[in-house]
Amino acid sequence: MRVLDLFSGLGGFSEAFVQAGDEVLRVENNPLLGDIPHTTLQDVIEMRDRLRQYELEGQPIREYDVLLASPPCYDFSLAYSAPQAIASREGEYDDYEPDTSLVEAVMEIIRITKPRYWVIENVIGSIRHFEKLGLVPNQIHGAFVLYGNFPKFSTPTMPTKAEKDSWHGDPLRSNKRALIPLPLSIAIRKAIIEQKTLFEYYSID
């Protein structure tokens, strides 16, 4: 399969696809992550704008079987120091409006590239804000909220997080905390493969 992984970070979302030998393109704008295999350094907003231009000019647009995206969750997080939690403590929870421009950019990339399957991952605190964009959770697996067009699957056994991490002062701390565990990536790929196989089986004359 041909897979596009946006905001790929350390590559956890698409790792099962890489290990299975799929053609994976990871898109990340942090130069510290440029050495992660299959990663290209580019900005998702700029990628969206370039695809818009291709669409207007009628140029060929690269097709993907699967699009994965894990936009930064800070604005949506309910963690104590995150802005949504601060707004809640100050009695302004209902009025809090996060920046959803990156999510909107992902949605437009999905519209333009038309992947057969797509998954947007974020935190529990994203639900009420994503609903305003027409996104409703397809599944929730622990702290991982998954939106999109993909077959449902059972929650995999995932590693538990330590109460405190040892990455204090690490410039990649947020990426390590947001890393999507391999069992979740495997479960997503397995569900897609099984559905693809089922469709192919029933399409045989």
Side-chain angles (χ1 to χ4, degrees):
M1 292 186 292
R2 185 175 289 173
V3 181
L4 177 61
D5 183 359
L6 303 177
F7 310 102
S8 55
L10 293 165
F13 212 169
S14 54
E15 184 58 25
F17 297 86
V18 169
Q19 292 186 11
D22 293 319
E23 182 183 337
V24 175
L25 174 63
R26 290 169 168 157
V27 175
E28 173 59 50
N29 70 350
N30 186 343
L32 296 177
L33 296 166
D35 291 336
I36 300 295
H38 309 283
T39 297
T40 179
L41 291 175
Q42 55 181 306
D43 182 87
V44 168
I45 296 288
E46 291 177 0
M47 182 181 187
R48 185 272 316 276
D49 292 344
R50 188 167 60 254
L51 287 170
R52 276 179 176 172
Q53 193 62 34
Y54 290 167
E55 186 180 39
L56 285 172
E57 296 173 355
Q59 295 188 42
I61 294 173
R62 188 174 178 84
E63 296 180 351
Y64 296 93
D65 300 293
V66 182
L67 184 147
L68 308 169
S70 188
C73 65
Y74 181 67
D75 279 5
F76 309 109
S77 174
L78 297 174
Y80 186 83
S81 60
Q84 182 164 217
I86 293 172
S88 179
R89 292 196 299 275
E90 294 177 350
E92 299 174 355
Y93 180 76
D94 291 338
D95 297 325
Y96 175 72
E97 293 291 342
D99 180 0
T100 60
S101 59
L102 293 177
V103 182
E104 293 173 59
V106 171
M107 292 173 67
E108 188 156 10
I109 291 171
I110 290 168
R111 181 190 66 77
I112 295 171
T113 60
K114 299 178 176 62
R116 183 168 182 180
Y117 302 96
W118 56 275
V119 191
I120 299 175
E121 180 274 336
N122 219 274
V123 294
I124 294 293
S126 69
I127 294 175
R128 72 188 186 107
H129 303 292
F130 280 31
E131 283 180 347
K132 297 175 184 177
L133 303 176
L135 293 171
V136 177
N138 184 323
Q139 286 193 279
I140 300 175
H141 298 280
F144 302 94
V145 181
L146 305 180
Y147 305 83
N149 177 37
F150 61 92
K152 287 183 167 56
F153 56 91
S154 300
T155 302
T157 301
M158 292 187 280
T160 56
K161 291 185 178 179
E163 287 188 14
K164 293 184 179 180
D165 62 56
S166 58
W167 309 315
H168 184 69
D170 186 336
L172 296 178
R173 182 172 186 258
S174 62
N175 298 97
K176 291 178 179 180
R177 288 176 63 86
L179 179 64
I180 293 176
L182 181 58
L184 185 57
S185 178
I186 290 172
I188 291 170
R189 185 182 186 278
K190 182 174 183 289
I192 288 172
I193 287 294
E194 288 179 350
Q195 187 176 78
K196 277 171 62 72
T197 302
L198 187 65
F199 284 159
E200 289 165 1
Y201 175 80
Y202 282 108
S203 67
I204 296 174
D205 292 332

